[in-house]
Amino acid sequence: MKQRKLANQSVGEIGLGAMNLSHAYGTPPDAAAAKALLHAALDLGIDHIDTAALYGFGRNEELVGETLQPFRQRFFLASKCGMTGVNAKRVIDGRPETLKQTCKEALRRLRTDVIDLYYLHRWDKKVPVEDSVGALADLVRDGHIRAVGLSEVSAQTLRKAHAVHPIAAVQSEYSLWTRNPELGLLTVCRELGIALVAFSPLARGFLANGVPDPRDFVEKDIRRGMPRFNPPHFGRNRKLLDQFNRVAWEAGCTTAQLALAWLLQKAPFVLPIVGTTSIAHLEEDVAASNVRVSADTLATLEKLINADTVSGARYPPETLAEIDTEEAPNTG
């Protein structure tokens, strides 16, 4: 796989987000299947593994630690703090003492002495971002983490944080149908030399033709609450796929590979992380590293799927209120 820079290290340009193995999309795979996928990721050349304290309320970190500890020197490990499970409920807490305690617990669960990149998963708006980042800077100084990242923040907040301690990466949803980083974050990342780690690069399965009918979503699938997957928006969005499939066929690749290739060609500091429970899908995604599409095809894609053609907000209102990213007006 081709390489890109992340926190001053070279990693494969496509990484694995491990969340799906424990969290968010209904019943996760059993332990054997989850471990098999993690092993397959290493075998496929994936050396950037992303997890978080939130995922499965610690179970995802435990899974990654138990499965991959023998291969710790073979991959770049990223995790997150600031949003965890407390008494079986999701809680955003960016107080310095909380972040340090979460890191201590993460190191134990991950069975490692150091985390390569540790993100503030959400900016707790009750706590100055400078205070939260200061705590993460202390963790760098103490040797518990190697680099600091932020997740779902605006360009303005990124500048404030970077003034306290160098920010190595920002994680943000970024795909053809979620273009929010283009409202300012990409520019600041380019200016300050910060990597942008793109989660949900396949639009939560939509761009991989993985959502034939949202009514089939199982209980606890987070997409059930996302406007784009609900009436009237999904019907409108579904119409975009026919032409998208045609463009992929003409480009000689799958739709998933086309979506990833578009993202990889946006900027050399953009690194997508894919999430899946299927080894076959993971193999397909990794192969996107060898797909290059023409400037004309990229222009066609951007005209087809963008903030004006996609219907519905990416999150429900209560979630949008929690995050800090720039949001394009969506009147669909």
Side-chain angles (χ1 to χ4, degrees), residues 123 129-130 150 153-163 183-185 188 192 324-326:
W123 170 35
V129 70
E130 294 89 343
L150 301 176
V153 297
S154 65
Q156 180 181 19
T157 299
L158 175 57
R159 287 190 184 279
K160 288 181 181 179
H162 194 70
L183 301 176
L185 192 62
V188 175
L192 299 179
D324 181 52
T325 53
E326 293 89 354

Side-chain angles (χ1 to χ4, degrees), residues 5 25 27 45 48 62 80 92 98 108 145 147 151 153 155 181 214 232 262 265 272 275 277 285 292 300 328 330:
K5 288 291 186 181
Y25 292 98
T27 303
H48 170 199
E62 290 175 348
K80 309 177 196 72
I92 297 174
T98 301
R108 174 183 54 79
I145 67 175
S151 177
V153 297
W262 172 84
Q265 289 179 234
T277 60
D285 295 342
R292 288 294 178 267
T300 297
N330 192 303

Side-chain angles (χ1 to χ4, degrees), residues 164-196:
V164 174
H165 183 88
I167 302 300
V170 176
Q171 190 166 135
S172 187
E173 182 175 357
Y174 192 23
S175 69
L176 272 165
W177 89 336
T178 297
R179 309 284 279 277
N180 305 65
E182 297 173 8
L183 301 176
L185 192 62
L186 271 178
T187 299
V188 175
C189 285
R190 182 180 289 107
E191 174 191 336
L192 299 179
I194 296 171
L196 194 150

Side-chain angles (χ1 to χ4, degrees), residues 23 52-60 84-90 109:
H23 187 84
L54 176 71
Y55 304 157
F57 293 174
R59 291 190 299 276
N60 197 247
T84 58
V86 178
N87 296 324
K89 293 184 179 181
R90 181 177 65 90
R109 289 191 290 257

Side-chain angles (χ1 to χ4, degrees), residues 209-223:
N209 285 302
V211 189
D213 190 340
R215 291 174 296 183
D216 294 332
F217 288 153
V218 299
E219 187 179 358
K220 296 185 178 180
D221 188 316
I222 58 172
R223 293 172 294 183

